[in-house]
Amino acid sequence: MSDGASGGASADVSDGASGGVEVARVEREQMRAAYRGARRVLPEGVRKETVRERLDRLAADAPAAYDLDSWTDVYGNDDGIIGELERRTAGALGTEAAAFFPTGTMAQQVALRCWAGRTGNATVAGHPLSHMEVHERDAWAVVSGLRMVHPTSAPRPPTAAEIYDLPEPFGALALELPLRDAGFVLPAWDELTATVEAARDREAVVHFDGARLWECGPHFGRTLPEIAALADSVYVSYYKSLGGISGAALAGTEEFVEEARAWRHRYGGQLFQQWPAALAALAGLDRELPRLPEYVARALDEGLAEAGVPWFRVHPAVPHTHQFQVWLPHPAELLNEAVVRQAEETGTALFGNWYEPGPAGPPGVALTEITVGTSALGWTDDAIRSAAREFADFVDGVRRVG
């Protein structure tokens, strides 16, 4: 951030690598303080909690989620809280069984490793923008010995025609629903079923990277069990969409999940106790899962247009879930300073952190991701339009000072 009311704290930091780290730390603290001081916050999750606040919230949610007079778990014992969470998750997805994992990275590797052994083919068809490719340090290849081929590089899920056209056999098709780095995009229901059928015709199994599968029902017009039934295995996250602390689940048939449990142990996922994560996940299933259809995106594009912003993009134009991208033609540093100033001076936090799209993206453009959640339910369309116009004014003010 440039010097000024919210960015001047970084001016005394020396140049160099350590200075860059310190600048980033100062800017993060400024943004965190601005979010915490805001009276109205649109994006879910931008307000950070202290350890005490998170413990207090867990204690408040806990009595309704699980019998607190029961014993804590020991290595994920089936008759305790982990077993209860696994059964509740399988019930929500309509699968025979589910296994709790400490991370989604581990759950996905285990799923695809199991399928490689069962199909005799370690090649996985996946998207280059998938979480496994972009955010897991190639763990699927380095740790699990798998190989990835790409049906498409377009910023959307692959089509049935692209699956048929893959020039080599593959054992599993991994579909990320929604495809987060492409803008939380989903196919139409008919497109999804056709793609799954194409994989079956290629004698491959289908795995859903469904970290955010919980929120896909309204777009597809289908229930979670109907969606999950298309796949041979499904991974879901407990802290994405459901507001948990951590953890994931891998769901499928009893036979498949039993094998996954063995690999979970081999990968180091058989932790001694995981009850805080399980308790938070149970609370999320109770509280957040029924609310997700209420979390809809509204009016941001109208407010930016009314403010005379010469170019912007809300992507997708009609969001497929309650998460979407907003793009503006300014450096991320400038936009983050405008975020801080709006929060500090008006008590409104309309956006979270802005960042550049990476070396493949156009220069001078930044994007932010919006998750509409409980914090947005009190916002009217008029309030969102007004805050968007106000944010555009702050952006202009930062540009003039800079």
Side-chain angles (χ1 to χ4, degrees):
M1 296 181 181
S2 61
D3 289 348
S6 61
S10 63
D12 295 331
V13 179
S14 60
D15 293 335
S18 61
V21 171
E22 180 64 15
V23 168
R25 185 192 66 78
V26 169
E27 291 178 352
R28 281 197 305 272
E29 290 301 318
Q30 288 175 332
M31 188 164 285
R32 184 174 297 175
Y35 289 146
R36 287 179 63 82
R39 296 185 301 276
R40 295 189 309 167
V41 176
L42 181 69
E44 187 74 8
V46 299
R47 273 191 174 129
K48 303 301 182 183
E49 293 177 300
T50 65
V51 173
R52 183 182 302 279
E53 288 169 339
R54 188 62 182 94
L55 286 173
D56 288 345
R57 185 156 64 89
L58 183 60
D61 292 341
Y66 189 72
D67 181 4
L68 300 187
D69 290 326
S70 298
W71 300 105
T72 57
D73 62 299
V74 178
Y75 293 116
N77 51 302
D78 183 64
D79 59 348
I81 189 170
I82 299 297
E84 175 68 13
L85 176 60
E86 291 173 339
R87 288 184 288 274
R88 287 276 307 279
T89 300
L93 296 173
T95 60
E96 291 181 6
F100 180 84
F101 278 78
T103 71
T105 299
M106 184 186 295
Q108 302 237 82
Q109 282 189 71
V110 165
L112 295 176
R113 184 157 189 162
C114 287
W115 290 128
R118 287 168 176 242
T119 63
N121 189 332
T123 300
V124 178
H127 201 287
L129 289 178
S130 70
H131 194 280
M132 287 186 288
E133 288 269 38
V134 178
H135 300 291
E136 297 179 13
R137 297 184 180 231
D138 298 329
W140 49 270
V142 176
V143 178
S144 297
L146 303 172
R147 177 171 169 265
M148 193 81 73
V149 294
H150 302 142
T152 182
S153 59
R156 52 158 175 77
T159 64
E162 289 162 342
I163 298 301
Y164 283 122
D165 288 344
L166 263 175
E168 57 186 304
F170 53 95
L173 169 64
L175 293 174
E176 183 177 331
L177 301 175
L179 186 57
R180 178 265 181 98
D181 279 6
F184 305 97
V185 295
L186 289 165
W189 179 254
D190 289 347
E191 292 171 335
L192 177 61
T193 56
T195 299
V196 169
E197 183 178 352
R200 305 264 191 248
D201 288 346
R202 295 290 304 264
E203 299 183 342
V205 298
V206 176
H207 169 72
F208 283 172
D209 173 349
R212 299 172 173 86
L213 194 73
W214 309 113
E215 63 204 52
C216 295
H219 174 81
F220 289 134
R222 297 295 191 280
T223 65
L224 281 172
E226 288 177 293
I227 299 169
L230 294 179
D232 298 282
S233 58
V234 178
Y235 144 63
V236 289
S237 172
Y238 291 120
Y239 72 90
K240 297 180 178 77
S241 304
L242 298 186
I245 293 175
S246 63
L250 191 57
T253 64
E254 290 276 7
E255 182 187 21
F256 173 80
V257 170
E258 192 61 30
E259 182 183 359
R261 293 182 198 276
W263 280 107
R264 179 183 65 187
H265 198 170
R266 295 181 182 119
Y267 272 70
Q270 195 80 353
L271 304 187
F272 176 56
Q273 288 191 342
Q274 301 176 91
W275 61 266
L279 190 57
L282 285 169
L285 285 171
D286 287 341
R287 181 187 62 250
E288 291 301 316
L289 187 55
R291 290 181 180 176
L292 289 178
E294 302 175 45
Y295 300 157
V296 294
R298 307 186 311 258
L300 263 175
D301 54 345
E302 297 172 14
L304 293 170
E306 290 172 6
V309 175
W311 184 91
F312 67 89
R313 173 163 291 181
V314 175
H315 177 68
V318 178
H320 296 173
T321 74
H322 70 292
Q323 297 182 293
F324 57 96
Q325 296 175 340
V326 180
W327 293 67
L328 285 174
H330 301 289
E333 184 179 18
L334 183 152
L335 294 172
N336 284 330
E337 183 159 346
V339 168
V340 170
R341 290 190 177 185
Q342 182 178 28
E344 288 178 341
E345 296 180 25
T346 72
T348 295
L350 183 65
F351 295 113
N353 185 56
W354 292 82
Y355 57 94
E356 269 87 32
V365 174
L367 73 147
T368 188
E369 294 178 338
I370 299 288
T371 298
V372 177
T374 306
S375 60
L377 292 181
W379 288 66
T380 64
D381 287 354
D382 285 344
I384 293 173
R385 284 191 288 265
S386 175
R389 293 192 299 267
E390 185 181 77
F391 180 76
D393 292 338
F394 277 99
V395 170
D396 288 342
V398 174
R399 289 176 62 197
R400 288 194 296 270
V401 172

